[in-house]
Amino acid sequence: SSAASDVYKRQVMQSCSLLTETDLPIGEIALRSGFNNISYYNKTFLKQIGCTPRHYRTYTVFGTSG
């Protein structure tokens, strides 16, 4: 349903903040963002953002500094 996808979208956006503002492990970020299945989190993140959480963190946090 669209209500569920809205929830996942919010959870992924919340995880984006945690990925860039903390150095928590990605598994911990998935749990804190409301995902109890890390592989599902990775799949949902990839579908919405276009890259994996690990790549997102690397390119967002470190990509601009060289």
Side-chain angles (χ1 to χ4, degrees):
S1 74
S2 72
S5 67
D6 286 347
V7 169
Y8 291 137
K9 198 171 291 184
R10 258 197 314 280
Q11 290 173 325
V12 167
M13 294 314 293
Q14 179 184 349
S15 78
C16 286
S17 297
L18 291 171
L19 285 166
T20 57
E21 295 167 11
T22 74
D23 58 357
L24 291 169
I26 288 170
E28 176 68 20
I29 288 173
L31 293 172
R32 288 189 183 202
S33 300
F35 292 90
N36 55 9
N37 181 317
I38 293 167
S39 64
Y40 185 72
Y41 165 68
N42 283 323
K43 191 163 74 173
T44 305
F45 192 100
L46 179 62
K47 186 174 174 184
Q48 286 188 23
I49 306 297
C51 66
T52 64
R54 187 177 306 282
H55 280 139
Y56 181 87
R57 170 179 267 170
T58 302
Y59 294 121
T60 304
V61 177
F62 304 111
T64 55
S65 63

